[in-house]
């Protein structure tokens, strides 16, 4: 069944050459754990991407039940966690996955730095990696407020107060994050929009550019 479907698509779209170009890629010996134990440090990037995929899939499930307003946000989270089958598991995966993804991304960044993989000709990919890092931090920040409990509320207030201390632009940044004078309904709506739409779109674009450059330049050599 799957073979016939693939043949039907291949006959019309000629996808086999594209698939072979992506799949037929020789992996350097120094990143093969079977030959070098230190090759495991080259797995951090792939593991980070795997966790990001889990975050996207679990986030899509959570978005089916979440209500982004201050009167129903916590109630929808409570309903999801206690009434929906496997809801507690999926929310737990999304919650802990947010922390694990930052840790894995940090380890991947350290590996790239200490093995000199950011040097010529990969300087541009290093910049993209840094943008991915800050985008992931932004996703963590905006997602933290969404449950709309006391911890999320006051943690967000502290974060905005820290942002307001930035020289010259602090007040503008705080006003933009809050959407007004206080942390309230507009803040929750704004954080939800960034967490679900703007930042994921930016992340997917950056990841696409990151993988294209890796494909063109190859995996960096050992230290």
């Amino acid at each position: 069944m799957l073979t016939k479907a693939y043949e039907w698509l291949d006959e019309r779209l000629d996808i086999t050459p594209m698939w072979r170009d992506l799949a037929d890629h020789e992996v350097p010996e120094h990143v093969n754990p079977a030959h070098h134990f230190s090759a495991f440090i080259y797995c951090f990037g792939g593991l980070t991407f795997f966790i990001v995929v889990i975050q996207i899939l679990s986030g899509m499930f959570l978005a089916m039940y979440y209500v982004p307003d201050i009167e129903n946000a916590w109630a929808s989270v409570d309903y999801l966690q206690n009434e929906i089958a496997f809801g507690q598991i999926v929310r737990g995966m999304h919650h802990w996955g947010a922390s694990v993804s930052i840790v894995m991304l940090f380890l991947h960044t350290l590996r790239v730095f200490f093995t000199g993989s950011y040097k010529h000709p990969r300087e541009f990919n290093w910049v993209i990696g840094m943008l991915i890092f800050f985008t992931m931090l932004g996703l963590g920040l905006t997602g933290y407020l969404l449950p709309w409990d006391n911890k999320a509320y006051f943690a967000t207030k502290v974060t905005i107060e820290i942002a307001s201390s930035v020289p010259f632009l602090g007040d503008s940044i705080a006003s933009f994050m809050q959407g007004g004078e206080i942390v309230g309904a507009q803040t929750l709506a704004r954080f939800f929009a960034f967490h679900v739409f703007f930042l994921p779109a930016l992340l997917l674009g950056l990841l696409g550019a990151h993988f294209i450059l890796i494909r063109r330049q190859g995996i960096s050599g050992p230290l």
Side-chain angles (χ1 to χ4, degrees), residues 11-205:
E11 183 179 354
R12 288 156 178 79
L13 303 177
D14 195 25
I15 60 177
T16 296
M18 294 184 293
W19 171 247
R20 285 179 177 172
D21 183 61
L22 290 173
D24 295 344
H25 183 64
E26 183 178 354
V27 178
E29 184 177 347
H30 68 276
V31 299
N32 188 343
H35 295 88
H36 300 280
F37 179 76
S38 61
F40 283 106
I41 66 174
Y42 286 86
C43 298
F44 293 148
L47 291 173
T48 304
F49 177 69
F50 175 73
I51 298 170
V52 168
V53 171
I54 293 177
Q55 290 298 97
I56 293 173
L57 295 177
S58 60
M60 292 169 64
F61 177 83
L62 297 178
M64 294 172 62
Y65 298 94
Y66 181 73
V67 181
D69 69 68
I70 58 176
E71 294 184 357
N72 299 296
W74 168 246
S76 65
V77 173
D78 184 68
Y79 174 77
L80 165 71
Q81 184 158 314
N82 297 303
E83 302 295 334
I84 302 300
F86 307 109
Q88 188 173 16
I89 295 176
V90 177
R91 189 189 173 212
M93 291 171 59
H94 197 75
H95 173 79
W96 292 107
S99 299
V100 174
S101 62
I102 296 298
V103 172
M104 294 304 303
L105 186 57
F106 181 68
L107 292 175
H108 177 57
T109 304
L110 288 179
R111 196 281 300 169
V112 172
F113 179 78
F114 284 111
T115 57
S117 302
Y118 60 90
K119 299 179 181 179
H120 177 80
R122 299 178 176 85
E123 302 94 334
F124 188 58
N125 214 9
W126 169 260
V127 173
I128 293 177
M130 289 294 97
L131 293 176
I132 291 174
F133 189 87
F134 288 113
T135 302
M136 293 288 290
L137 291 178
L139 283 165
L141 171 65
T142 53
Y144 199 84
L145 178 65
L146 299 188
W148 197 248
D149 54 9
N150 286 333
K151 184 171 66 172
Y153 175 81
F154 287 106
T156 301
K157 284 198 67 173
V158 171
T159 302
I160 293 176
E161 288 175 2
I162 294 173
S164 67
S165 65
V166 175
F168 304 110
L169 299 176
D171 292 339
S172 299
I173 294 174
S175 178
F176 175 77
M177 293 176 68
Q178 287 184 166
E181 298 297 325
I182 63 171
V183 176
Q186 188 61 39
T187 313
L188 181 63
R190 187 159 295 191
F191 274 46
F192 175 77
F194 274 98
H195 188 74
V196 175
F197 299 110
F198 296 107
L199 290 177
L202 176 61
L203 178 63
L204 291 177

